[in-house]
Amino acid sequence: MFCSKGEFQELTRALEDEVEKRPVTRRLMTHPGVGPLTALAFELVIGSPERFHCGKQIASYVGLVPSEESSGDRRRLGHISKQGNSLLRYLLVEAAQVTVRSHQHWRSKFSTSPCAEDERSRR
């Protein structure tokens, strides 16, 4: 199941070669946290983004929107719906987590817990 170091390097080279052929994938990699695998998976799963009316439709297609249970006037939003391609959803969530952890701008923007505020004040 595991591959040797040589096989891993060969697969990495093949991935990088494929990314070089695709301008959309290269452009996606300019976003923080998005590497060659995430960018290529996004392009292959989404295809032409023009087929979607807006970004919310893409998020819904991938399953990154909250599930909804509504009754009458009451609207309840739950966890993400997890519809669509689970590998792409996993890669996008990982890319977001890497960005929040490694880029100071995003870390300070989304860390609003009391523990995070204490940590920022100690710096």
Side-chain angles (χ1 to χ4, degrees):
M1 190 70 173
F2 294 101
C3 58
S4 69
K5 186 176 181 179
E7 290 172 323
F8 183 77
Q9 289 172 340
E10 183 181 332
L11 289 171
T12 302
R13 268 193 304 276
L15 175 64
E16 291 168 351
D17 290 344
E18 189 61 34
V19 166
E20 284 303 312
K21 297 176 193 173
R22 299 171 172 270
V24 172
T25 303
R26 287 196 316 268
R27 183 166 177 155
L28 286 168
M29 287 176 51
T30 62
H31 292 279
V34 176
L37 183 60
T38 303
L40 185 60
F42 188 88
E43 183 180 1
L44 293 176
V45 170
I46 298 300
S48 174
E50 290 82 22
R51 68 188 181 121
F52 297 97
H53 180 33
C54 62
K56 287 182 180 181
Q57 287 183 337
I58 293 176
S60 179
Y61 183 78
V62 177
L64 289 172
V65 294
S67 60
E68 182 176 346
E69 294 181 21
S70 301
S71 175
D73 293 337
R74 182 173 220 164
R75 183 176 178 208
R76 295 185 197 141
L77 297 177
H79 299 288
I80 61 173
S81 66
K82 297 184 181 179
Q83 299 295 313
N85 188 295
S86 60
L87 175 62
L88 179 57
R89 187 174 48 257
Y90 169 79
L91 291 170
L92 291 173
V93 169
E94 288 298 312
Q97 288 177 349
V98 164
T99 302
V100 170
R101 285 189 201 124
S102 61
H103 289 77
Q104 182 62 37
H105 169 75
W106 293 107
R107 188 176 358 183
S108 61
K109 196 172 202 170
F110 291 104
S111 298
T112 57
S113 69
C115 295
E117 290 174 13
D118 290 342
E119 184 180 320
R120 280 197 304 265
S121 66
R122 284 186 241 151
R123 291 182 191 169

